[in-house]
Amino acid sequence: MKKLLLAATVATLAMNAAQAAPTLYGKLNVTLDQIDNNGFKDESVTKVNSNASRIGVKGEEKLTDNLSAVYLIEWQFNADGDGDQSFSNRNRYVGIKSEGIGTLKVGQFDSYFKNAAGNSQDIFNDHNELDMTAVLAGEDRLKNVIGFETDKKLLGGLAFNIMFQQGEESSAADSAAKGKKGSRDGFGDGVSTSITYENKNIGLAAAVAGNFGVASKYSAYSLSDIYTDAIRVTGSLDLTPAGVDGLVFGALWQTAQPTDDTVSTSAGTPTVVTSYKGLQEDAYGVTAAYTIPSTPIKLKAEYISATTESDGRKDRKQDLYGVGADYQINKQTRFYGIVGQQKRDWLVKDDKKTTIGLGMEYNF
């Protein structure tokens, strides 16, 4: 009898340990890229690139019948061996999940504005040259945040998400030159929010998102950490329910401008102050993907355009084109090829950077 009780106790402990065990996951995404006019200079280079390769640990632990603790810690690393060999922070949080209601998370993770662009809009996500972050404001991962996201099943595919960021600055600080007057020393100095909808029966997904006082970049003027208000609208339509198997279209529109129209830079001796009054970026993108029926091949294409304006200056336009093909070996592994080009219309010469690449992605 004692042996039976001992065996039952050991089995129970083993089951509990298995339930609590974290999941190790990751992605290795490496390409061989030939880049003409690398850095928009008169030079060509062949590169082995690590495209946001990462490793992480995540888990979910039951606390009650309806409540669970959730956690995730993720690091990015350079699979090609270039640059800093230490791990850099990606998403990381701890939180509470209420089954069928929603999840409250605290830590550092992608803004809901960024996540409003799903796989059908950001179809070359992570690729060093074709990821839409190359030209768009708002592709940000935020520190010191508290986020709440409702379960998609709660309202029949409709979900609400809101994130509050703490600036954690000294009360004497003033970020007027970065687009926000006064100090960021309180609760919710930055807010990122979205409303998303998904209906797989008709193949429709859509989102409306907003950032308010969130630090972002305006790449046309090499400005970073500018506190920005922005609106993003995205949508995708999978035509499989309509009888066109494997064809998906995506679209995105957004506008962004500093929270306060006070952006400026200072440089030189004596100091020269450059004003960016009237700074604003308007952008749109369209994408298409087609998985050839009964084959492991997916064809992809994107066009993204962003126009940035500032008082007293000619508008600057950036275009990003890309086409590619994936060969999906299994759920974990794909081989792919891409051809892409980024164009900057304000450059007198070397205004086009062209990339041709072959790559492999492995997920575990």
Side-chain angles (χ1 to χ4, degrees), residues 48-311:
V48 173
N49 280 319
S50 175
N51 303 284
S53 295
R54 68 198 69 163
I55 190 169
V57 177
K58 61 182 178 180
E60 181 174 332
E61 173 98 29
K62 276 283 188 181
L63 302 177
T64 69
D65 287 343
N66 296 316
L67 288 179
S68 301
V70 294
Y71 59 90
L72 181 146
I73 310 171
E74 188 175 280
W75 298 268
Q76 183 169 317
F77 60 91
N78 293 324
D80 57 352
D82 283 345
D84 187 354
Q85 293 305 297
S86 61
F87 292 106
S88 59
N89 292 353
R90 285 179 57 88
N91 294 330
R92 48 201 50 222
Y93 60 78
V94 65
I96 295 291
K97 177 181 177 181
S98 177
E99 190 66 34
I101 303 297
T103 303
L104 179 70
K105 304 190 297 190
V106 182
Q108 169 185 304
F109 44 98
D110 290 341
S111 72
Y112 294 131
F113 184 95
K114 176 182 179 181
N115 285 341
N119 293 334
S120 294
Q121 292 84 34
D122 196 7
I123 60 173
F124 293 107
N125 183 38
D126 291 339
H127 190 276
N128 284 5
E129 304 298 333
L130 291 184
D131 191 311
M132 65 185 190
T133 191
V135 298
L136 295 185
E139 294 294 288
D140 305 304
R141 181 173 299 117
L142 306 185
K143 299 179 180 179
N144 307 316
V145 294
I146 299 171
F148 179 75
E149 48 206 54
T150 63
D151 192 310
K152 292 180 180 179
K153 295 178 288 186
L154 179 64
L155 297 171
L158 190 67
F160 298 86
N161 313 289
I162 189 164
M163 175 187 295
F164 300 97
Q165 182 185 40
Q166 286 51 254
E168 301 186 1
E169 289 182 344
S170 163
S171 58
D174 187 354
S175 299
K178 292 290 188 179
K180 182 69 170 67
K181 297 177 182 177
S183 173
R184 291 167 56 87
D185 60 355
F187 177 80
D189 294 308
V191 175
S192 184
T193 186
S194 70
I195 301 173
T196 65
Y197 177 73
E198 185 175 3
N199 187 327
K200 293 183 179 180
N201 291 329
I202 61 174
L204 176 66
V208 178
N211 270 356
F212 307 95
V214 172
S216 193
K217 66 177 178 64
Y218 294 79
S219 59
Y221 287 107
S222 300
L223 297 171
S224 59
D225 298 324
I226 305 300
Y227 295 111
T228 294
D229 294 350
I231 300 296
R232 171 177 282 184
V233 180
T234 69
S236 66
L237 184 63
D238 185 343
L239 295 180
T240 299
V244 185
D245 291 352
L247 183 59
V248 181
F249 292 106
L252 173 149
W253 172 88
Q254 69 177 54
T255 184
Q257 61 185 34
T259 301
D260 294 317
D261 194 11
T262 54
V263 174
S264 64
T265 59
S266 301
T269 305
T271 301
V272 176
V273 177
T274 303
S275 171
Y276 289 90
K277 189 172 180 59
L279 182 65
Q280 181 172 321
E281 179 187 287
D282 297 306
Y284 67 92
V286 290
T287 64
Y290 179 57
T291 302
I292 301 175
S294 303
T295 77
I297 299 172
K298 177 189 284 189
L299 306 177
K300 303 189 293 189
E302 75 172 1
Y303 170 63
I304 298 172
S305 181
T307 300
T308 307
E309 61 184 67
S310 179
D311 289 356

Side-chain angles (χ1 to χ4, degrees), residues 4-20:
L4 182 61
L5 289 173
L6 179 61
T9 301
V10 170
T12 300
L13 290 173
M15 289 176 63
N16 288 338
Q19 290 175 346

